[in-house]
Amino acid sequence: RSLDKLVSQQAIPAELDRETECLAASVYFESKSEPLEGQLAVAEVVLNRAKSGGRFPPSVCSVVFQKGQFSFVRGNGFPPIARSGNHWKTAVAIAQIAMKDLWDSRASKALFFHATRVRPGWNKVRVAQLGNHVFYR
C-alpha cells in the first residue's frame, strides 16, 4: 500500500466541515508542492498540537488561527484557494487521512516544523526532514 494510492482513494466531499477545511488549508498553504509524506507531516503537526492537552489550543482551527503560528492566515480566514485544482484535492485527501490516522508518518510525533531555508535555532528534538521542511518534537 502506498500513500499515493491512499490519497487517490479518498472521496472529496462537496462541502467540508470546518475542522477538515482548516487542516486542508494548512496543508495547502504550507506544503502543497511537497512530497505527500511531507504534506501529511504538516497535517500531523496541526493535529498533534490540537491534542497536546493545553500546550496549544484544543481544536484544529484554533491551532491554525493561533496568532503568529502560520504566515498564510489572514485574520480569521485564508487567502483564496483554488478549490477545483489538484493541489486542493490532495490537501483535502491528506487532511482526511491524517484525521482518520490511516498512515504513519516519520514525523508522527512532531509539534513544530520550519522550512529548510530558515534556521530558527530551536532546542528541540529533530524528528525528520521531509521535502523542504524539518520537523521537531
Side-chain angles (χ1 to χ4, degrees):
R1 213 171 82 155
S2 72
L3 183 54
D4 186 55
K5 182 171 180 149
L6 190 56
V7 166
S8 71
Q9 293 172 340
Q10 298 304 302
I12 308 300
E15 289 210 21
L16 300 176
D17 64 83
R18 184 68 173 154
E19 292 286 282
T20 304
E21 181 182 46
C22 287
L23 188 57
S26 67
V27 170
Y28 180 84
F29 287 112
E30 290 290 335
S31 62
K32 68 183 169 206
S33 62
E34 294 295 311
L36 293 176
E37 191 177 10
Q39 292 181 49
L40 179 62
V42 166
E44 289 192 346
V45 165
V46 174
L47 290 172
N48 290 344
R49 286 182 176 193
K51 296 174 188 172
S52 68
R55 186 170 180 186
F56 293 94
S59 72
V60 169
C61 290
S62 60
V63 165
V64 170
F65 290 112
Q66 185 180 15
K67 188 172 174 69
Q69 294 301 303
F70 294 98
S71 60
F72 66 86
V73 171
R74 303 288 182 264
N76 285 325
F78 312 115
I81 297 171
R83 292 176 189 262
S84 62
N86 286 334
H87 285 303
W88 176 247
K89 291 174 185 167
T90 298
V92 171
I94 290 289
Q96 292 172 322
I97 290 165
M99 292 175 99
K100 295 174 191 170
D101 198 23
L102 298 176
W103 192 267
D104 290 328
S105 164
R106 288 188 286 147
S108 63
K109 304 285 188 216
L111 285 169
F112 306 92
F113 68 92
H114 64 79
T116 55
R117 68 184 174 335
V118 298
R119 305 268 184 252
W122 293 340
N123 187 21
K124 300 183 184 325
V125 176
R126 184 177 168 150
V127 176
Q129 179 175 335
L130 300 165
N132 290 315
H133 288 97
V134 183
F135 296 85
Y136 299 86
R137 86 181 93 136

